[in-house]
Amino acid sequence: MEILRYTKNPILTRDNVPFRVNSIFNPGAVKMGDKYLLLCRIEMPTGRSSFVLAESNDGNSFIVSDKPCLTPKNHGKYFKYVEWGIEDPRITKIGDEYFITYTGFSSYMPLVMLSKTKDFKTFEVLGPISEPSNKDCAIFPEKINGFYWKLDRPAAESRRDIWISKSTDLIHWGVHEFVTEPIQGSWEQDKIGASTQPIKTDKGWLLLYHGVRGFGIGTLYKLGAMLLDLNEPWKVIGRTTEPILSPLLDYERVGDVNNVVFSNGWIAEENGDVKVYYSGADSNICLAETTIIELLNLCKKS
Ligand code: BMA
């Protein structure tokens, strides 16, 4: 079963950006006080990506800032790892700081970068937290068994699986362990990767993930959900067998990369509602709405 799309999708396109960009897509999402924030990937006319902030009071209509807030040039001694762009931010609030994991792209190939901020105005770049090739990194919002944990997606030969590792300081990571792999013969058979920061529920950690299947001349990116054990987060205890969002509408079918729904940000409200921010065809920002209960039920059907 698919989750509900917002009727006014897409909520942001490049026409809403007050400066010249090719596209705006794949935002990280978080609530700061009463404000909904999207840290959006913008592909600049050069074809390299940076981030810009968009703000909203209701989570539906967003105003995009008048200039990028984080660019490759802000990366000082790490510039060589992000020279070709920074992509797909995921935001996790820990204490009063927001930790942002994202792809650094360069001739060294994609790796996971980490920065932090308190206000989304100034950012401290902490550096790479993986070797290449790795992407799709999401940090859990609290310590489990005395450690911070992150999910990521190393590219090992032809394998594209989700792995987990732990840390005491969010900078040094180790004890890597395999979590799960694409299900063969299904919509996600070629690659999977964590989409969003995990949300804590009393049944386990909820995670959105993307799955990819290649066919003929193209690929299809769809979204699923899984539930990870609360205390042993490397254990998958539930998983959707069918996608919960697939590219069906024109704004998901046609764009810079056709037939893609991709997400790296969602916001859980205190009442259990969940706003999933996603992009159609790598060319816009859209909203879909669900609840913790619906997601838990969908994960049960595995
Ligand atoms: C992935 C990432 C995303 C992109 C998706 C679909 O590998 O690069 O940024 O949205 O492909 O093109």
Side-chain angles (χ1 to χ4, degrees), residues 25-26 41 87-88 135 153 191 221 257 260 262 282:
F25 61 118
N26 292 1
R41 172 176 172 188
E87 305 179 353
D88 305 350
K135 281 184 171 189
R153 209 285 305 281
K191 327 183 199 183
Y221 274 75
V257 183
V260 174
F262 192 90
D282 282 1

Side-chain angles (χ1 to χ4, degrees), residues 192-216:
I192 54 170
S195 290
T196 49
Q197 70 277 27
I199 295 175
K200 193 177 190 182
T201 75
D202 54 2
K203 302 279 186 299
W205 293 99
L206 263 178
L207 179 76
L208 204 63
Y209 73 100
H210 62 264
V212 185
R213 181 181 220 169
F215 61 97

Side-chain angles (χ1 to χ4, degrees), residues 269-293:
E269 306 278 18
E270 274 168 20
N271 68 1
D273 289 349
V274 179
K275 288 180 181 299
V276 177
Y277 296 93
Y278 73 97
S279 293
D282 282 1
S283 300
N284 55 44
I285 294 178
C286 298
L287 171 62
E289 288 166 302
T290 178
T291 63
I292 299 282
I293 290 174

Side-chain angles (χ1 to χ4, degrees), residues 8-129:
K8 293 186 187 153
N9 275 345
I11 58 170
L12 288 176
T13 69
R14 70 179 191 168
D15 296 338
N16 303 108
V17 182
F19 52 95
R20 214 157 61 85
V21 296
N22 286 342
S23 51
I24 181 165
F25 61 118
N26 292 1
V30 79
K31 223 169 160 181
M32 191 166 78
D34 289 339
K35 289 259 184 221
Y36 295 80
L37 301 184
L38 297 181
L39 187 62
C40 311
R41 172 176 172 188
I42 35 173
E43 192 190 281
M44 304 304 287
T46 56
R48 297 179 176 182
S49 292
S50 287
F51 299 155
V52 71
L53 196 67
E55 284 187 44
S56 166
N57 292 323
D58 62 8
N60 301 347
S61 47
F62 283 84
I63 305 286
V64 182
S65 303
D66 60 5
K67 57 176 190 308
C69 58
L70 192 65
T71 75
K73 289 202 174 117
N74 301 134
H75 281 69
K77 65 179 178 185
Y78 302 117
F79 176 73
K80 64 181 177 189
Y81 301 124
V82 297
E83 192 172 357
W84 295 355
I86 52 174
E87 305 179 353
D88 305 350
R90 292 168 173 82
I91 306 167
T92 299
K93 187 177 186 201
I94 300 176
D96 64 347
E97 293 181 308
Y98 299 88
F99 288 84
I100 302 152
T101 52
Y102 50 99
T103 305
F105 194 33
S106 72
S107 61
Y108 298 99
M109 293 292 105
L111 50 64
V112 178
M113 291 293 300
L114 180 68
S115 287
K116 67 176 182 176
T117 183
K118 282 189 172 172
D119 55 11
F120 289 89
K121 291 184 185 121
T122 55
F123 295 81
E124 185 182 343
V125 177
L126 299 168
I129 53 167

